[in-house]
Amino acid sequence: PQRSREEAACDGRLATFPEWIADMSTSRLIYGFHAVTAKLRHDPDSLKEIMVDATRQDTRARDLLAHAELQGVKIIVTDGKRLDGMAPGAKHQGVIARVEGGRKAVHLDDVLDTLEEPAFLLVLDGITDPRNLGACLRVADAAGVHAVIAPKDRAVGLTDVAAKTASGAAETVPYVMVTNLARTLRELKERDIWVVGTAGEAESDLYAAEWPQATAWVLGAEGEGMRRLTRETCDQLVRIPMHGSVASLNVSVAAGVCLFEARRRRL
């Protein structure tokens, strides 16, 4: 990795930076060590270049560069100011990668038709904060969720901030955006997937309630919760028992509580 840094400074690869910007119409950026490392592991062929801050000489940076060299990914060594200009306001940690093409649309049927076990899904209704979305994706990945579903309207979408917060999970967990969430939930039910909604006023306690293995867990935005039609479409409502003074949890924390309880039972 150190030799590559020195070569990069000498062989003119830094001069490709303007070309890197000019070609952005056919590519997108990911940044941060988690996101770039996840892409290297799961889809290295999609990586065009990785830009690294020349001052990063630590083990984490060396490991990333070694992995990139092993996969044959081009490395561009540059300075932190250039990276700041590429991702204004982002905590890129000194590493930004250019990925071929935009994010491909994921179709729910394609995900469900390839499953070899009961479906395990997370549905997010009305999440508008990209950091909350990213945290939910990270939880979903850790719990082994097959896909995260969200409506196209009144939802944040998979922005760069969401992807950075997801710490690589945005590259591994299918994110499905649907036009009509209630209709999608009905289609899940037609596939014998049990739709479990979370609501603070639900009568059923999460730890006492029963549900089948094939489930879609629905969480709404903190405060507002699920929309009325979404709530009415659920097969079952459960609540997380609260033992302190706070009335609710952040949506990503609530997702973690529910998904890991569901995962524990699936074991």
Side-chain angles (χ1 to χ4, degrees), residues 90-174:
K91 295 181 180 179
H92 52 70
Q93 300 173 303
V95 57
I96 298 178
R98 185 162 65 94
V99 181
E100 178 69 40
R103 287 190 173 88
K104 297 180 181 179
V106 180
H107 299 285
L108 184 57
D109 286 340
D110 293 339
V111 174
L112 298 177
D113 290 343
T114 58
L115 294 182
E116 298 180 355
E117 60 180 345
F120 188 25
L121 307 171
L122 173 62
V123 181
L124 300 174
D125 186 20
I127 306 303
T128 57
D129 186 325
R131 290 178 175 80
N132 277 341
L133 173 59
C136 286
L137 285 167
R138 189 172 183 177
V139 168
D141 177 84
V145 165
H146 298 127
V148 175
I149 304 169
K152 291 181 179 178
D153 64 322
R154 295 181 61 185
V156 63
L158 194 52
T159 66
D160 289 343
V161 173
K164 173 64 169 59
T165 307
S167 298
E171 307 300 329
T172 58
V173 180

Coordinates of all heavy atoms in Angstrom, one line a residue, residues 90-174:
A90 N -19.6 16.4 4.4 CA -19.7 15.0 4.7 C -18.5 14.5 5.6 O -17.4 15.1 5.4 CB -19.8 14.1 3.5
K91 N -18.6 13.6 6.4 CA -17.5 13.0 7.2 C -17.0 11.8 6.4 O -17.3 10.7 6.7 CB -18.0 12.6 8.6 CG -18.5 13.8 9.5 CD -18.9 13.3 10.8 CE -19.3 14.5 11.7 NZ -19.8 14.0 13.0
H92 N -16.2 12.1 5.4 CA -15.7 11.1 4.5 C -14.6 10.3 5.0 O -14.2 9.2 4.5 CB -15.3 11.7 3.1 CG -14.4 12.8 3.2 ND1 -13.1 12.7 3.6 CD2 -14.5 14.2 3.0 CE1 -12.5 13.9 3.6 NE2 -13.3 14.8 3.3
Q93 N -14.0 10.7 6.1 CA -12.9 10.0 6.8 C -11.6 9.8 6.0 O -10.8 9.0 6.2 CB -13.4 8.6 7.3 CG -14.5 8.6 8.2 CD -15.1 7.3 8.5 OE1 -15.5 6.6 7.6 NE2 -15.1 6.9 9.8
G94 N -11.5 10.6 4.9 CA -10.4 10.6 4.1 C -10.4 9.5 3.0 O -9.4 9.2 2.4
V95 N -11.6 9.0 2.6 CA -11.7 8.1 1.5 C -13.1 8.3 0.8 O -14.1 8.3 1.5 CB -11.6 6.6 2.1 CG1 -12.6 6.3 3.2 CG2 -11.7 5.6 0.9
I96 N -13.0 8.4 -0.5 CA -14.2 8.5 -1.3 C -14.0 7.6 -2.5 O -12.9 7.6 -3.1 CB -14.4 10.0 -1.8 CG1 -14.7 10.9 -0.6 CG2 -15.6 10.0 -2.8 CD1 -14.8 12.4 -1.0
A97 N -15.0 6.9 -2.9 CA -14.9 6.0 -4.1 C -16.0 6.4 -5.1 O -17.0 6.9 -4.8 CB -15.1 4.6 -3.7
R98 N -15.6 6.2 -6.4 CA -16.6 6.5 -7.5 C -17.1 5.1 -8.0 O -16.3 4.2 -8.3 CB -15.9 7.2 -8.6 CG -16.9 7.6 -9.7 CD -16.3 8.7 -10.6 NE -15.1 8.3 -11.3 CZ -15.1 7.8 -12.6 NH1 -16.3 7.7 -13.2 NH2 -14.0 7.5 -13.2
V99 N -18.4 5.0 -8.0 CA -19.0 3.7 -8.3 C -19.7 3.8 -9.7 O -20.3 4.8 -10.0 CB -20.0 3.3 -7.3 CG1 -20.7 2.0 -7.6 CG2 -19.4 3.2 -5.9
E100 N -19.5 2.8 -10.5 CA -20.1 2.8 -11.8 C -21.6 2.9 -11.8 O -22.3 2.1 -11.1 CB -19.7 1.5 -12.6 CG -20.3 1.4 -13.9 CD -19.7 2.4 -14.9 OE1 -18.5 2.7 -14.8 OE2 -20.5 2.9 -15.7
G101 N -22.2 3.8 -12.5 CA -23.7 3.9 -12.6 C -24.4 4.4 -11.3 O -23.8 4.5 -10.2
G102 N -25.6 4.7 -11.4 CA -26.4 5.0 -10.2 C -26.9 3.8 -9.5 O -26.7 2.7 -10.0
R103 N -27.6 4.0 -8.5 CA -28.2 2.8 -7.8 C -29.3 2.2 -8.6 O -30.2 2.9 -9.1 CB -28.7 3.2 -6.4 CG -27.7 3.5 -5.4 CD -28.2 3.7 -4.0 NE -27.2 3.9 -3.0 CZ -26.6 5.0 -2.7 NH1 -27.0 6.1 -3.3 NH2 -25.6 5.1 -1.8
K104 N -29.3 0.9 -8.8 CA -30.3 0.3 -9.6 C -31.6 0.1 -8.8 O -31.5 -0.2 -7.6 CB -29.8 -1.1 -10.0 CG -28.5 -1.0 -10.9 CD -28.1 -2.4 -11.3 CE -26.8 -2.3 -12.2 NZ -26.3 -3.7 -12.6
A105 N -32.7 0.3 -9.4 CA -34.0 0.1 -8.8 C -34.1 -1.4 -8.4 O -33.8 -2.3 -9.2 CB -35.1 0.5 -9.7
V106 N -34.6 -1.6 -7.2 CA -34.8 -3.0 -6.7 C -36.3 -3.3 -6.7 O -37.1 -2.5 -6.2 CB -34.2 -3.1 -5.3 CG1 -34.4 -4.6 -4.8 CG2 -32.7 -2.8 -5.3
H107 N -36.6 -4.4 -7.3 CA -38.0 -4.8 -7.3 C -38.3 -5.8 -6.2 O -37.6 -6.8 -6.1 CB -38.4 -5.3 -8.7 CG -38.2 -4.3 -9.8 ND1 -39.1 -3.3 -10.0 CD2 -37.2 -4.2 -10.7 CE1 -38.7 -2.6 -11.0 NE2 -37.5 -3.1 -11.5
L108 N -39.4 -5.6 -5.5 CA -39.7 -6.5 -4.4 C -39.9 -8.0 -4.8 O -39.4 -8.9 -4.1 CB -40.9 -6.0 -3.6 CG -41.3 -6.7 -2.4 CD1 -40.2 -6.7 -1.4 CD2 -42.5 -6.1 -1.8
D109 N -40.5 -8.2 -5.9 CA -40.8 -9.5 -6.4 C -39.4 -10.3 -6.6 O -39.3 -11.5 -6.4 CB -41.6 -9.5 -7.7 CG -43.1 -9.2 -7.4 OD1 -43.5 -9.4 -6.3 OD2 -43.8 -8.8 -8.4
D110 N -38.5 -9.5 -7.2 CA -37.2 -10.1 -7.4 C -36.5 -10.6 -6.1 O -35.8 -11.6 -6.1 CB -36.2 -9.2 -8.1 CG -36.7 -8.8 -9.5 OD1 -37.5 -9.6 -10.1 OD2 -36.3 -7.8 -10.1
V111 N -36.7 -9.8 -5.1 CA -36.1 -10.2 -3.8 C -36.9 -11.5 -3.2 O -36.3 -12.5 -2.8 CB -36.2 -9.1 -2.8 CG1 -35.8 -9.5 -1.4 CG2 -35.4 -7.9 -3.2
L112 N -38.2 -11.4 -3.2 CA -39.0 -12.4 -2.6 C -38.9 -13.8 -3.4 O -38.9 -14.8 -2.7 CB -40.5 -12.0 -2.5 CG -40.7 -10.8 -1.6 CD1 -42.2 -10.4 -1.7 CD2 -40.3 -11.0 -0.2
D113 N -38.8 -13.7 -4.7 CA -38.8 -14.9 -5.5 C -37.5 -15.7 -5.3 O -37.4 -16.9 -5.7 CB -39.0 -14.6 -7.0 CG -40.4 -14.1 -7.3 OD1 -41.3 -14.3 -6.4 OD2 -40.6 -13.5 -8.3
T114 N -36.5 -15.1 -4.8 CA -35.2 -15.8 -4.6 C -34.9 -16.3 -3.2 O -33.9 -16.9 -3.0 CB -34.0 -14.8 -5.0 OG1 -34.1 -13.7 -4.2 CG2 -34.2 -14.4 -6.5
L115 N -35.9 -16.0 -2.3 CA -35.7 -16.4 -0.9 C -35.8 -17.9 -0.7 O -36.7 -18.5 -1.3 CB -36.7 -15.7 0.0 CG -36.6 -14.2 0.1 CD1 -37.6 -13.6 1.1 CD2 -35.2 -13.8 0.5
E116 N -34.9 -18.5 0.1 CA -35.0 -19.9 0.4 C -35.4 -20.1 1.9 O -35.3 -21.2 2.4 CB -33.6 -20.5 0.1 CG -33.2 -20.4 -1.3 CD -31.9 -21.1 -1.6 OE1 -31.2 -21.5 -0.6 OE2 -31.5 -21.2 -2.8
E117 N -35.9 -19.1 2.5 CA -36.4 -19.1 3.9 C -37.5 -18.1 4.0 O -37.7 -17.3 3.2 CB -35.2 -18.8 4.9 CG -34.7 -17.4 4.7 CD -33.6 -17.1 5.6 OE1 -33.4 -17.8 6.6 OE2 -32.8 -16.1 5.4
P118 N -38.3 -18.2 5.1 CA -39.4 -17.3 5.3 C -38.9 -15.9 5.3 O -37.9 -15.5 5.8 CB -39.9 -17.7 6.7 CG -39.5 -19.1 6.9 CD -38.2 -19.3 6.2
A119 N -39.7 -15.0 4.6 CA -39.4 -13.6 4.4 C -39.2 -12.9 5.7 O -40.0 -13.1 6.7 CB -40.4 -12.9 3.5
F120 N -38.3 -12.0 5.8 CA -38.0 -11.2 7.0 C -37.7 -9.8 6.4 O -36.7 -9.5 5.9 CB -36.8 -11.7 7.7 CG -36.5 -11.1 9.0 CD1 -37.5 -10.5 9.8 CD2 -35.2 -11.1 9.6 CE1 -37.2 -9.9 11.0 CE2 -34.9 -10.6 10.8 CZ -35.9 -9.9 11.5
L121 N -38.7 -8.9 6.6 CA -38.7 -7.6 5.9 C -38.9 -6.5 7.0 O -39.5 -6.6 8.0 CB -39.8 -7.5 4.9 CG -39.9 -8.6 3.8 CD1 -41.1 -8.5 3.0 CD2 -38.6 -8.6 3.0
L122 N -38.3 -5.3 6.6 CA -38.6 -4.1 7.4 C -39.2 -3.1 6.5 O -38.8 -2.8 5.4 CB -37.2 -3.5 7.9 CG -37.3 -2.2 8.6 CD1 -38.2 -2.2 9.9 CD2 -35.9 -1.7 9.0
V123 N -40.4 -2.5 7.0 CA -41.1 -1.5 6.2 C -41.1 -0.2 7.0 O -41.4 -0.2 8.2 CB -42.6 -1.9 6.0 CG1 -43.3 -0.9 5.2 CG2 -42.6 -3.3 5.3
L124 N -40.6 0.9 6.4 CA -40.5 2.2 7.0 C -41.6 3.1 6.4 O -41.6 3.4 5.2 CB -39.1 2.7 6.8 CG -38.0 1.9 7.4 CD1 -36.6 2.5 7.0 CD2 -38.1 1.7 8.9
D125 N -42.4 3.7 7.2 CA -43.5 4.6 6.7 C -43.2 6.0 7.2 O -43.4 6.3 8.4 CB -44.8 4.1 7.3 CG -46.0 4.9 6.7 OD1 -45.8 5.5 5.7 OD2 -47.1 4.8 7.3
G126 N -42.9 6.9 6.3 CA -42.8 8.3 6.6 C -41.5 8.7 7.3 O -41.4 9.7 8.0
I127 N -40.4 8.0 7.0 CA -39.1 8.3 7.6 C -38.4 9.4 6.7 O -38.1 9.1 5.5 CB -38.1 7.1 7.7 CG1 -38.8 6.0 8.5 CG2 -36.8 7.5 8.3 CD1 -39.3 6.4 9.8
T128 N -38.3 10.6 7.2 CA -37.8 11.7 6.4 C -36.3 12.2 6.7 O -35.7 13.0 6.0 CB -38.7 12.9 6.5 OG1 -38.8 13.3 7.9 CG2 -40.1 12.6 6.0
D129 N -35.8 11.6 7.8 CA -34.4 12.0 8.2 C -33.5 11.0 7.6 O -33.6 9.8 7.9 CB -34.3 11.9 9.8 CG -33.0 12.4 10.3 OD1 -32.0 12.2 9.6 OD2 -33.0 13.1 11.3
P130 N -32.5 11.4 6.8 CA -31.6 10.4 6.2 C -30.7 9.6 7.2 O -30.4 8.5 6.9 CB -30.7 11.3 5.3 CG -30.8 12.7 5.8 CD -32.2 12.8 6.4
R131 N -30.4 10.3 8.3 CA -29.6 9.5 9.3 C -30.5 8.4 10.0 O -29.9 7.4 10.3 CB -29.1 10.5 10.3 CG -28.0 11.4 9.8 CD -27.5 12.4 10.7 NE -26.4 13.2 10.2 CZ -26.5 14.2 9.4 NH1 -27.7 14.6 9.0 NH2 -25.5 14.9 8.9
N132 N -31.7 8.7 10.2 CA -32.6 7.6 10.7 C -32.7 6.5 9.7 O -32.7 5.3 10.1 CB -34.0 8.2 11.0 CG -34.1 8.9 12.4 OD1 -33.2 8.6 13.2 ND2 -35.1 9.7 12.5
L133 N -32.8 6.8 8.4 CA -32.9 5.8 7.4 C -31.6 5.0 7.4 O -31.6 3.7 7.4 CB -33.2 6.4 6.0 CG -33.1 5.4 4.9 CD1 -34.1 4.3 5.0 CD2 -33.3 6.1 3.5
G134 N -30.5 5.7 7.4 CA -29.2 5.0 7.4 C -29.0 4.0 8.6 O -28.6 2.9 8.5
A135 N -29.5 4.5 9.8 CA -29.3 3.7 11.0 C -30.3 2.5 10.9 O -29.9 1.4 11.3 CB -29.7 4.6 12.2
C136 N -31.5 2.7 10.3 CA -32.4 1.5 10.1 C -31.8 0.5 9.2 O -31.9 -0.7 9.4 CB -33.7 2.0 9.6 SG -34.7 2.9 10.8
L137 N -31.1 0.9 8.1 CA -30.5 0.0 7.2 C -29.4 -0.8 7.9 O -29.2 -2.0 7.7 CB -29.9 0.8 6.0 CG -30.9 1.3 5.0 CD1 -30.3 2.3 4.0 CD2 -31.5 0.1 4.2
R138 N -28.7 -0.1 8.7 CA -27.6 -0.7 9.5 C -28.1 -1.8 10.4 O -27.6 -2.9 10.5 CB -26.8 0.3 10.3 CG -25.5 -0.2 10.9 CD -24.7 0.9 11.5 NE -23.5 0.5 12.0 CZ -22.6 1.3 12.6 NH1 -22.8 2.6 12.6 NH2 -21.4 0.8 13.1
V139 N -29.2 -1.5 11.1 CA -29.9 -2.5 12.0 C -30.4 -3.6 11.2 O -30.3 -4.8 11.6 CB -31.0 -1.8 12.8 CG1 -31.9 -2.8 13.5 CG2 -30.4 -0.8 13.8
A140 N -31.0 -3.3 10.0 CA -31.6 -4.4 9.2 C -30.5 -5.3 8.7 O -30.8 -6.6 8.7 CB -32.3 -3.7 8.0
D141 N -29.4 -4.8 8.3 CA -28.3 -5.7 7.9 C -27.8 -6.6 9.0 O -27.6 -7.8 8.8 CB -27.2 -4.8 7.4 CG -25.9 -5.6 7.0 OD1 -25.9 -6.1 5.8 OD2 -25.0 -5.8 7.8
A142 N -27.7 -6.0 10.2 CA -27.2 -6.8 11.3 C -28.2 -7.9 11.7 O -27.8 -8.9 12.2 CB -27.0 -5.8 12.5
A143 N -29.5 -7.6 11.6 CA -30.5 -8.6 12.0 C -30.8 -9.6 10.9 O -31.5 -10.6 11.1 CB -31.8 -7.9 12.3
G144 N -30.2 -9.4 9.7 CA -30.4 -10.4 8.6 C -31.7 -10.2 7.8 O -32.2 -11.1 7.3
V145 N -32.2 -8.9 7.8 CA -33.4 -8.6 7.0 C -33.2 -8.8 5.5 O -32.1 -8.4 5.0 CB -33.9 -7.2 7.4 CG1 -34.9 -6.7 6.4 CG2 -34.4 -7.2 8.8
H146 N -34.1 -9.3 4.8 CA -34.0 -9.6 3.4 C -34.1 -8.3 2.5 O -33.6 -8.2 1.5 CB -35.0 -10.6 2.9 CG -34.8 -11.9 3.6 ND1 -35.8 -12.6 4.2 CD2 -33.7 -12.7 3.7 CE1 -35.3 -13.8 4.7 NE2 -34.1 -13.8 4.4
A147 N -34.9 -7.3 3.0 CA -35.1 -6.1 2.3 C -35.8 -5.0 3.2 O -36.5 -5.4 4.1 CB -36.0 -6.3 1.0
V148 N -35.5 -3.8 2.9 CA -36.2 -2.7 3.5 C -37.1 -2.0 2.5 O -36.7 -1.7 1.4 CB -35.2 -1.6 4.1 CG1 -35.9 -0.4 4.6 CG2 -34.3 -2.3 5.1
I149 N -38.3 -1.8 2.9 CA -39.3 -1.2 1.9 C -39.8 0.1 2.5 O -40.0 0.3 3.7 CB -40.6 -2.2 1.9 CG1 -40.1 -3.6 1.4 CG2 -41.6 -1.6 0.9 CD1 -41.2 -4.6 1.6
A150 N -39.9 1.1 1.6 CA -40.4 2.4 1.9 C -41.2 3.1 0.8 O -41.0 2.7 -0.4 CB -39.2 3.3 2.3
P151 N -42.1 4.0 1.1 CA -42.8 4.6 0.0 C -42.0 5.7 -0.7 O -41.0 6.2 -0.1 CB -44.0 5.3 0.8 CG -43.4 5.6 2.1 CD -42.5 4.4 2.4
K152 N -42.3 6.0 -2.0 CA -41.6 7.0 -2.7 C -41.9 8.4 -2.2 O -41.1 9.3 -2.3 CB -41.9 6.8 -4.2 CG -41.3 5.6 -4.8 CD -41.6 5.5 -6.3 CE -41.0 4.3 -6.9 NZ -41.3 4.2 -8.4
D153 N -43.1 8.6 -1.8 CA -43.5 9.9 -1.3 C -43.4 10.0 0.2 O -43.5 9.0 0.9 CB -45.0 10.2 -1.7 CG -46.0 9.3 -1.1 OD1 -45.7 8.1 -1.0 OD2 -47.1 9.7 -0.7
R154 N -43.2 11.2 0.7 CA -43.1 11.4 2.2 C -42.0 10.5 2.8 O -42.2 10.0 3.9 CB -44.5 11.2 2.9 CG -45.5 12.2 2.4 CD -46.9 11.9 3.1 NE -46.7 12.1 4.6 CZ -47.7 11.8 5.5 NH1 -48.9 11.4 5.0 NH2 -47.5 12.0 6.8
A155 N -41.0 10.3 2.1 CA -39.9 9.5 2.6 C -38.6 10.1 2.0 O -38.6 10.7 1.0 CB -40.0 8.1 2.2
V156 N -37.5 9.9 2.7 CA -36.2 10.6 2.4 C -35.5 10.0 1.2 O -34.9 10.8 0.4 CB -35.3 10.6 3.6 CG1 -34.9 9.2 4.0 CG2 -34.1 11.5 3.3
G157 N -35.6 8.8 0.9 CA -34.8 8.2 -0.1 C -33.4 7.9 0.3 O -32.9 8.4 1.3
L158 N -32.7 7.1 -0.5 CA -31.4 6.7 -0.2 C -30.4 7.7 -0.6 O -29.7 7.6 -1.6 CB -31.1 5.3 -0.8 CG -29.9 4.5 -0.3 CD1 -29.9 4.4 1.3 CD2 -29.8 3.2 -0.9
T159 N -30.2 8.7 0.2 CA -29.3 9.8 -0.1 C -27.8 9.4 0.3 O -27.6 8.4 1.0 CB -29.7 11.1 0.6 OG1 -29.5 10.8 2.1 CG2 -31.1 11.5 0.4
D160 N -26.9 10.3 -0.1 CA -25.5 10.0 0.3 C -25.3 10.0 1.8 O -24.6 9.2 2.4 CB -24.6 11.1 -0.3 CG -24.4 10.9 -1.8 OD1 -24.7 9.8 -2.3 OD2 -24.0 11.9 -2.4
V161 N -26.1 10.9 2.5 CA -26.0 10.9 4.0 C -26.6 9.6 4.6 O -26.0 9.1 5.5 CB -26.8 12.1 4.5 CG1 -26.8 12.1 6.1 CG2 -26.1 13.4 4.1
A162 N -27.7 9.2 4.0 CA -28.2 7.9 4.5 C -27.3 6.7 4.3 O -27.1 5.9 5.2 CB -29.6 7.6 3.8
A163 N -26.7 6.7 3.1 CA -25.7 5.6 2.8 C -24.5 5.7 3.7 O -24.0 4.6 4.2 CB -25.3 5.7 1.4
K164 N -24.0 6.9 4.0 CA -22.9 7.0 4.9 C -23.2 6.5 6.3 O -22.5 5.8 7.0 CB -22.4 8.5 4.9 CG -21.3 8.8 6.0 CD -20.0 8.1 5.7 CE -18.9 8.6 6.5 NZ -19.1 8.4 8.0
T165 N -24.4 6.9 6.8 CA -24.8 6.5 8.1 C -25.0 5.0 8.2 O -24.8 4.4 9.3 CB -26.2 7.2 8.5 OG1 -26.0 8.7 8.3 CG2 -26.5 7.0 10.0
A166 N -25.4 4.4 7.1 CA -25.7 3.0 7.1 C -24.4 2.2 7.2 O -24.4 1.0 7.5 CB -26.3 2.6 5.8
S167 N -23.2 2.8 7.1 CA -21.9 2.1 7.3 C -21.8 0.9 6.5 O -21.3 -0.2 7.0 CB -21.8 1.8 8.8 OG -21.8 2.9 9.6
G168 N -22.1 1.0 5.2 CA -22.0 -0.1 4.3 C -23.2 -0.9 4.1 O -23.3 -1.6 3.1
A169 N -24.2 -0.8 4.9 CA -25.4 -1.6 4.8 C -26.2 -1.2 3.6 O -27.0 -2.0 3.0 CB -26.3 -1.5 6.0
A170 N -26.1 0.0 3.1 CA -26.8 0.5 1.9 C -26.3 -0.3 0.6 O -27.1 -0.3 -0.4 CB -26.6 2.0 1.7
E171 N -25.2 -0.9 0.7 CA -24.6 -1.7 -0.4 C -25.0 -3.2 -0.3 O -24.8 -3.9 -1.2 CB -23.1 -1.6 -0.5 CG -22.6 -0.1 -0.5 CD -23.1 0.6 -1.7 OE1 -23.4 0.0 -2.8 OE2 -23.3 1.9 -1.6
T172 N -25.6 -3.6 0.9 CA -25.8 -5.0 1.1 C -27.3 -5.3 1.3 O -27.7 -6.5 1.0 CB -25.0 -5.5 2.3 OG1 -25.4 -4.8 3.5 CG2 -23.5 -5.4 2.1
V173 N -28.1 -4.4 1.8 CA -29.5 -4.6 2.0 C -30.3 -4.0 0.9 O -30.3 -2.8 0.7 CB -29.9 -4.0 3.4 CG1 -31.4 -4.3 3.6 CG2 -29.1 -4.6 4.5
P174 N -31.1 -4.8 0.2 CA -32.0 -4.2 -0.9 C -32.9 -3.2 -0.3 O -33.6 -3.4 0.7 CB -32.7 -5.4 -1.4 CG -31.9 -6.6 -1.1 CD -31.2 -6.3 0.2

